Structures are given as structure tokens and as C-alpha cells.
Amino acid sequence: MDASPPRDWNPSAEPNPSTPFACEYVTLSRQEHIQLVWEARQWKRLHQGAVRRIEELQVEHRRQLQYQTERAEERERSLVRDLEYARGRIRDLEQRLFGRKSERQRVIDAQHGHRAAAVRGRGQQRGAPGHGRRPLSQLPLREEILPMSSPYCPACGKALEDFPGTEDSEVLEIEVKAYRRVIRRRRYRPVCSCGQLPGIVTAAAPARLIERGKFGISVWVEALLDKFLYGRASTRWLQAMTDQGLPIGAGSLSGGLQAIAPLFEPLYQALLPRLRAEPHWHADETRWEVFVEREGKASHRWYLWVFQSCSVMYYVLDPSRSSSVPAAVLQGVERGVISCDRHSAYKKFSRLHPDIVLSFCWAHQRRDLLNLANEHPTLSAWAMQWVDRIAELFERYEQRTQAELNSAAYRTEDQQLRTALRRMARERTRSLRDPQLPEPAVKLLQSMQRHWQGLREFVRHHNVPPDNNAAERALRPAVVGRKNFYGSGSEWSGQLAAMMFSLLMTMKRWQINPRTWLTDYLRACAAAGNRAPLDLSAYLPWAMDAARLAQMRAPYDNAPILHRQTMDTS
């Protein structure tokens, strides 16, 4: 192999192994030098750009991380609130379904045991004296004499001798039965020769509530009371009648009620002047289903309103929940006080009638606080402090009510009541200024502040209570009926319900026996030829004299009242 060097070999170009790199020189052309400098600067610029992009990405990453962290924290807070609300709703629904029937919830009882223990239990209290057996001597007597089945001496067989007197005891029984009332009209034949009488004359037929109707007044009294006073569904009443041997068709019941419904219209309208003449009313409304199709109304939900004064309970059925209902009921009224809840219809009515003021219900405020404590356990202690303040308000009001009007004791209690109310206003303002107060509590206090003028209105009036519980109690028969038979199947049936609620509950308010009153009124309608009597004063409590009122308050007697009066005066 040839080991000679190549022709272009230059010994001076070979690096000297003993020379360091820093002392060695390389010869470049200007073009190569420019190229190298340009590339070096370009790489520097690229490196600087990459560093800036990395810094920008790091800033953006930190910003995104902070944003996502804040969103996650907000989402977590929102989920915690939703979870707390859902747990509160579950507790509320469990309380309604399985718990005691009280506004004081389990969570509140658990956290405030000293208050829960102080609540008086319902019913007869242990150790308290009872009333004993009530004497019922007014009931008719039916005697039974029970001899021994074997009046002989068990040892010798000799007969026992009668001994004067009996061992007496009483057992209360009730007997409800249907019967056929056979009416036999005596026939007469004239023996005179004047020719004024036809061949045979018969006694006049008894009056009937429905012309040619086969059911007597007692049947319709039972039907009306069972449905509108006791809240039982018509189908159940029909089944009860069938079990007693009186089968009645659903169509016969519906047709009969529709026929006698106009008889109550004059009495129903006669309640309005009395209602409008009084200075204070409780008002409330609840849903009532009317299963008819009505143009412009998408659902079957109507509303049953109640307006309760000192002597009248007046119910109105209307498709809407607007202010037109109180405007129609209280038409022509210039001034007065309405105890109500915070429904906007009452507020609008009050704006249109400035001399009619609204007294808002403190029981609703208390209910809001109890719901807040139940739905947000962390606010339970705060809410219960406000519940205690409201309890003090009610206690002060009761003490003022018990004092004689315009007396020194009354003025003292009135001043303490006003002081307690001012103290609550100051605490409300102070709490709203607290930036740490949770949002649910802020909303509740803001609502209280907006309605404060109406919440303190009861202080100015001696006979206006701080709550609207009277109207809510007045709606209880309607609520029971709604749960048992849902509502009304037609408009006339709904109007009949409003009329019967009004009349029956007004009679109950006057302590009148509704069965006695209704039976007597329907007998008067039958005697008037299936029309309402022209003189209604005998059936309006405020128009009755003392004797008539006592007669209407007496227990029901099947004998006609008017007939007894005639016999007594003859």
C-alpha cells in the first residue's frame, strides 16, 4: 500500500498537538465571517424570543391557574350552598311526612333543647284535673229492662223473689237510618148542597224543596254538611248512604245540589253589607281546582279567597289572584285595616285605596326564620334569636290586650310593646350593616325592612292582632275539602262551595248549630215555593233576637222549628 502523502498536503496547515486552541488561528473569508455573525445574532434573537414566550406562557399559566382556582372555589361554595339547601329541603320534607305537626323543626329542637322542652304538649296534661263525664240529660231516653236469664238459686234451685228497685247504668248510642216517609193525605166528600166544592177534597200536599223530588230536606242537609263542613268526598258519602240502605246516584246528587244552589245566593249576598260595615278584616287565599276549560286560562287552578271580619266569614272563588278580588269584595269601603300576608294584590289594593292600611303578619316572618334555621343550620342560632324577639313581641301584645283600654296598665304595656318594636328595628339595621352576614339572612332582613310599616301597624290598633292566623284557620275547611275531593267539577259547583263555606262558617262563628240552622232555612225555602224567603232576618245572626239566637244555638231537633213555634203560640 502506498504511504506517500498527497500532492496538496501542506505541512504548515497541520495542527501542532503541542499548541493550545486559544493560540491557534483560523483564516476565514469576509463572507464566511459575515455569515457566522449573522447566524449568531439570529440565534440570539431566537433565544431571546423563546425566553420571552416562556415568560409570557408562565404569566398566562399563573393567570389561568388563579382564574381556575377562583372558579373552583366559587363552584365549591355554590355546591356547598346547594348541598346545604338540599339537606334543609330534605329535612323539611321528612318533617312534613314523618315528623310532628309543628313549625319547630327537628334541627331546631336539637340545637335549642331548652326551648323545645318548654313547649306545652297537646291534649290532657298529666296530673291536671279532668272534666269528668259530661251529663247529657237532654238526649232522648230509651229504657231497657234486663231480667236475669235464670232467677234461681244455683245451690238449691229455689226461685228468687223480686226486690224493689233496679241497678241503673247508662250507655250512649247513636242511630242513623234511612226511612221512607209515606204521606197519606186524607180525602173528604162534601155533604152540603151549595156546590162550591168539587166531588172529593184532599189535604194540601207538604212542601218539597225540589219539585217532584223524592229526597227530603234531611237528605240534602246531610249532603251539604258532609261535603262543605266536614270535608268528605261525595263518593264516600254516597257509599255511606248505600251502606245504610239508601242508594243515591251521583247524577241525582249533582242535579239536586245544582237545583238548590240558587236558594243560598240571597243569603250569600246579604253577608256583604255586614262585612263592609266593619273596620277590620283578615284576608287570605288558597288554591282551589275547578275542572273546567276556560278561554284564556291554561290551567284548572282557581283561588278561594276569604275575608273575615268580626261577625262575617266571606269566601270568594275567582280564577285569578289579582287585586280585583279585594277591590270587588270591599267596594265602597273608605277606610279600615286588612291583616294579610305580603301578597302583591293587597299592596296594590292599598295603593289604590290609601285610607285602607295593611297590617302584615308576624307569624309569616317567624315562619321565614324557622325555614332559614332549618335550611341553613349554621344560621340556626342567629335565626332563633329573632324568633325569641318575635315571641317577646307577641307576649307584650297579649299583656297589652289583657289590660283595660285607656288605663294606666294599658299605657305601660303599650309603651313596653313599642320599645320592643324599636329595639327590633335597631337590631335589624345593625345586622344589615354587618358585611359578614350571610346572603340568606340579608335577604330575610331586607324583606322585613321593606314591610316594616305594615309589620308595626298592629301597635296603633287595640283590636288588630300581630298575625293573620285567623284567616289561615278560616281556610282550613277548604284545605281539608281540597285534599279529600280536589276541588269542583264545574263553575256552579265552585260557587256553591264558596257560598256554603261562607254561610256555614259564619254560623259557626256565631256559635249557631249549622244543622239546626240549615234544616230550618231549607224548610222555609220549601214553604216559600222552592225560593228563598223574602225576609232573611230570621237567618242572619246579627238580625236575630235573643230567643231566636238561643233556638238556633240549641242542639239539632228533628221537629220543625217553625211548627213548634206555631204550636207554642196557638
Side-chain angles (χ1 to χ4, degrees), residues 53-66:
R53 285 195 297 273
I54 290 175
E55 292 176 350
E56 291 173 356
L57 289 175
Q58 289 176 343
V59 172
E60 178 66 19
H61 177 264
R62 287 193 294 270
R63 189 184 67 80
Q64 288 289 341
L65 181 61
Q66 182 180 1

Side-chain angles (χ1 to χ4, degrees), residues 428-446:
R428 181 205 67 216
T429 304
R430 187 194 65 79
S431 299
L432 284 174
R433 291 174 180 172
D434 183 5
Q436 302 299 325
L437 189 66
E439 182 181 359
V442 171
K443 289 183 177 179
L444 191 148
L445 291 183
Q446 288 175 345

Side-chain angles (χ1 to χ4, degrees), residues 524-539:
C525 292
N530 313 118
R531 291 187 299 271
L534 296 179
D535 184 11
L536 298 176
S537 60
Y539 306 99

Side-chain angles (χ1 to χ4, degrees), residues 150-449:
S150 180
Y152 301 97
C153 177
C156 63
K158 190 174 181 179
L160 302 179
E161 183 181 6
D162 287 340
F163 186 81
T166 56
E167 290 286 340
D168 298 336
S169 61
E170 287 188 2
V171 177
L172 298 178
E173 300 282 359
I174 185 171
E175 182 180 278
V176 179
K177 62 181 180 180
Y179 63 92
R180 291 183 301 142
R181 180 184 167 201
V182 179
I183 302 170
R184 304 187 186 278
R185 293 186 288 159
R186 298 293 300 271
R187 297 188 297 178
Y188 302 89
R189 183 176 58 186
V191 295
C192 59
S193 59
C194 64
Q196 295 296 321
L197 296 175
I200 298 177
V201 181
T202 58
R208 298 196 183 198
L209 186 62
I210 300 177
E211 187 177 359
R212 303 179 61 85
K214 69 175 182 178
F215 298 113
I217 290 175
S218 60
V219 176
W220 298 115
V221 169
E222 287 291 336
L224 291 169
L225 293 180
D226 207 75
K227 186 177 182 69
F228 299 114
L229 186 61
Y230 309 132
R232 188 158 62 156
S234 298
T235 53
R236 298 180 185 177
W237 181 77
L238 292 174
Q239 183 61 52
M241 292 295 103
T242 301
D243 296 341
Q244 294 176 20
L246 180 61
I248 302 176
S252 299
L253 176 63
S254 177
L257 292 178
Q258 188 173 7
I260 65 178
L263 301 178
F264 299 102
E265 182 68 27
L267 271 178
Y268 178 66
Q269 295 300 328
L271 300 180
L272 267 179
R274 179 78 177 189
L275 179 77
R276 293 168 177 169
E278 295 180 324
H280 173 230
W281 313 273
H282 288 274
D284 202 359
E285 73 288 331
T286 187
R287 61 182 177 85
W288 185 269
E289 305 294 332
V290 180
F291 297 98
V292 295
E293 300 297 332
R294 190 164 185 170
E295 186 178 358
K297 188 169 181 61
S299 69
H300 297 146
R301 175 169 291 187
W302 289 40
Y303 292 93
L304 188 66
W305 298 66
V306 63
F307 297 86
Q308 177 179 336
S309 66
C310 181
S311 58
V312 175
M313 296 174 68
Y314 190 80
Y315 296 76
V316 178
L317 183 65
D318 195 85
S320 72
R321 203 179 171 210
S322 68
S323 61
S324 61
V325 178
V329 172
L330 300 178
Q331 183 180 4
V333 176
E334 297 182 356
R335 61 181 65 250
V337 180
I338 301 178
S339 293
C340 59
D341 55 23
R342 295 159 294 190
H343 180 37
S344 58
Y346 304 113
K347 300 176 186 177
K348 181 179 179 180
F349 176 73
S350 180
R351 288 196 302 269
L352 297 176
H353 303 79
D355 290 334
I356 296 180
V357 298
L358 303 182
S359 178
F360 291 127
C361 178
W362 274 103
H364 281 76
Q365 288 291 331
R366 180 179 182 273
R367 197 174 305 163
D368 292 344
L369 288 163
L370 293 176
N371 290 336
L372 178 69
N374 188 55
E375 295 171 3
H376 304 276
T378 56
L379 294 173
S380 178
W382 179 89
M384 294 308 297
Q385 291 177 357
W386 277 96
V387 170
D388 290 341
R389 295 186 184 103
I390 295 176
E392 179 189 5
L393 206 64
F394 275 75
E395 183 179 359
R396 297 291 184 190
Y397 170 78
E398 289 298 328
Q399 292 175 356
R400 189 186 75 166
T401 304
Q402 294 172 5
E404 185 178 353
L405 189 62
N406 297 326
S407 64
Y410 181 88
R411 288 191 292 271
T412 300
E413 297 297 340
D414 181 72
Q415 184 61 36
Q416 291 181 355
L417 175 61
R418 294 173 185 269
T419 301
L421 200 61
R422 287 194 294 268
R423 190 161 54 244
M424 290 182 67
R426 288 195 298 269
E427 180 61 28
R428 181 205 67 216
T429 304
R430 187 194 65 79
S431 299
L432 284 174
R433 291 174 180 172
D434 183 5
Q436 302 299 325
L437 189 66
E439 182 181 359
V442 171
K443 289 183 177 179
L444 191 148
L445 291 183
Q446 288 175 345
S447 173
M448 184 186 296
Q449 187 176 39

Side-chain angles (χ1 to χ4, degrees), residues 14-24:
E14 289 292 325
N16 189 352
S18 61
T19 305
F21 286 107
C23 297
E24 293 182 0

